[in-house]
Amino acid sequence: MTVPHSHPSGSALRERMIEDMSMRGFTEDTRRDYIRCVKALATFIGRSPDTATAEDLRRFQLHQTQMGMHPPSINSSVSALRFFFTVTIDRPDLSRRLTLIHQPRKLPLVLSIEEVARLLEAAPGPKYKAALSTAYGAGLRVSEIVALKVSDIDSTRMLIRVEQGKGRKDRHAMLSPQLLELLRAWWREGKRRGVMLPQGWQFPGRSPITPLSTRQMNRAVHTAAETAKIKKRVTPHTLRHSFATHLLEQDVDIRVIQVLLGHAKLDTTALYARVATKTIRAVMSPLDRISLLAKDETRPGA
């Protein structure tokens, strides 16, 4: 006879899930999104989510599809629910009932070097200019930028320490002389304003003791793009895409770019080869080689 699982209910269940996520170092944004997804399931089935059945999950995913939810949102919901069932209530059997939606891989949006220059110049203030320059100058993710501390900037070795990036891995990113100057300019300005603490955040939020949020970063880049009259749909991640693509166009080895980006798989980095237009244009078509061979054969003395 199988003994049914016994779990806390209501707010206690929610707190337990938050504790489980906190122990694993999930960001505040991720914790909030995961809780929202579990709450959506509870609302749909009309009872506590820990009482959900395999049929409930099938109906819930069907409902999401019928409501026109996009695959990335459905997959985010799957990640949240899989965590809830596998970790918080120890029901991995239900976790396996959730289906991920295959997403065709789209080419990343990339800005030209001129567009990047205009965007950074239009940043709303020195803090955001330095933060957006870090996205482009070091290829950091927005979540990595807002988590930077003053002590992570190593001007002696010209490196940026990224703690617990994607995949919960530490790595070093490049620190260019130009980026260092921008970071120092912001540090001096932040010091003058009294918002830079000795061991505090590199980019403080509304309070010196809290970091800049990813939402604030997104708003800043949208404002800058509008001011710079850039029509493309720009996000902070667009600057990371542009960093990788422009390095590839400078003939930097793709394996080096993989390390700088913190990609686990080379295949992920290789996607940028599909948008590196200078690299594509530099390749000679085999059709042109035929034409060159024909000219060589008709040349006198050939």
Side-chain angles (χ1 to χ4, degrees):
M1 177 178 168
T2 304
V3 179
H5 290 269
S6 177
H7 301 296
S9 59
S11 60
L13 188 62
R14 179 178 180 275
E15 288 305 313
R16 178 170 176 163
M17 184 176 177
I18 291 174
E19 289 171 357
D20 289 337
M21 291 187 286
S22 298
M23 284 190 294
R24 288 158 179 80
F26 285 22
T27 65
E28 183 181 346
D29 286 346
T30 301
R31 294 197 300 267
R32 183 176 59 247
D33 289 344
Y34 274 32
I35 291 294
R36 178 177 49 78
C37 292
V38 176
K39 186 178 178 182
L41 172 65
T43 301
F44 176 77
I45 65 176
R47 59 184 191 277
S48 179
D50 62 336
T51 65
T53 64
E55 179 59 22
D56 288 330
L57 298 183
R58 191 192 73 82
R59 291 192 302 110
F60 180 59
Q61 286 208 276
L62 181 61
H63 167 73
Q64 289 178 317
T65 303
Q66 291 174 338
M67 291 295 290
M69 186 178 285
H70 295 241
S73 298
I74 293 176
N75 290 343
S76 294
S77 176
V78 168
S79 297
L81 294 175
R82 280 182 174 175
F83 181 89
F84 173 73
F85 289 118
T86 302
V87 177
T88 301
I89 67 169
D90 193 23
R91 289 290 310 277
D93 55 309
L94 284 177
S95 172
R96 290 191 290 270
R97 299 286 184 163
L98 294 158
T99 305
L100 287 168
I101 308 298
H102 174 70
Q103 302 174 65
R105 195 169 228 182
K106 295 183 179 179
L107 290 177
L109 176 67
V110 173
L111 300 177
S112 68
I113 293 176
E114 293 75 18
E115 286 172 326
V116 172
R118 281 162 43 207
L119 182 79
L120 297 180
E121 196 57 37
K127 175 170 70 175
Y128 287 111
K129 184 173 185 178
L132 296 178
S133 295
T134 304
Y136 177 67
L140 266 58
R141 302 175 178 90
V142 64
S143 59
E144 295 168 343
I145 294 169
V146 299
L148 286 177
K149 294 185 173 64
V150 174
S151 57
D152 292 328
I153 310 302
D154 187 344
S155 58
T156 303
R157 295 194 296 160
M158 295 302 285
L159 295 171
I160 299 174
R161 176 176 170 80
V162 180
E163 290 190 353
Q164 299 294 287
K166 191 173 182 180
R168 319 312 300 170
K169 294 178 182 177
D170 294 349
R171 77 176 194 281
H172 283 108
M174 62 187 292
L175 174 61
S176 73
Q178 178 63 25
L179 178 56
L180 179 60
E181 283 305 308
L182 289 169
L183 292 172
R184 282 175 169 168
W186 158 240
W187 187 87
R188 290 191 294 268
E189 175 62 19
K191 196 79 172 172
R192 186 187 68 80
R193 296 182 193 176
V195 298
M196 299 297 284
L197 302 178
Q199 299 298 318
W201 304 105
Q202 177 64 42
F203 302 110
R206 292 188 176 90
S207 164
I209 61 173
T210 58
L212 195 67
S213 70
T214 55
R215 192 168 297 174
Q216 288 171 305
M217 277 280 288
N218 273 292
R219 281 201 296 263
V221 80
H222 292 154
T223 299
E226 186 176 347
T227 303
K229 294 182 168 49
I230 296 171
K231 302 302 181 184
K232 297 173 182 175
R233 190 173 178 274
V234 182
T235 69
H237 213 71
T238 306
L239 292 169
R240 176 174 157 88
H241 290 323
S242 302
F243 163 84
T245 305
H246 294 166
L247 284 183
L248 196 60
E249 291 179 341
Q250 292 169 29
D251 296 326
V252 175
D253 190 288
I254 196 167
R255 292 172 185 82
V256 174
I257 299 173
Q258 178 190 3
V259 172
L260 292 174
L261 291 173
H263 283 163
K265 296 179 180 178
L266 186 61
D267 286 354
T268 308
T269 316
L271 180 65
Y272 294 109
R274 294 167 61 187
V275 288
T277 53
K278 288 182 182 177
T279 304
I280 294 169
R281 290 198 300 266
V283 178
M284 178 181 286
S285 166
L287 183 63
D288 293 334
R289 289 187 63 83
I290 292 175
S291 177
L292 286 174
L293 287 171
K295 287 179 182 178
D296 287 343
E297 288 174 0
T298 58
R299 196 185 311 161

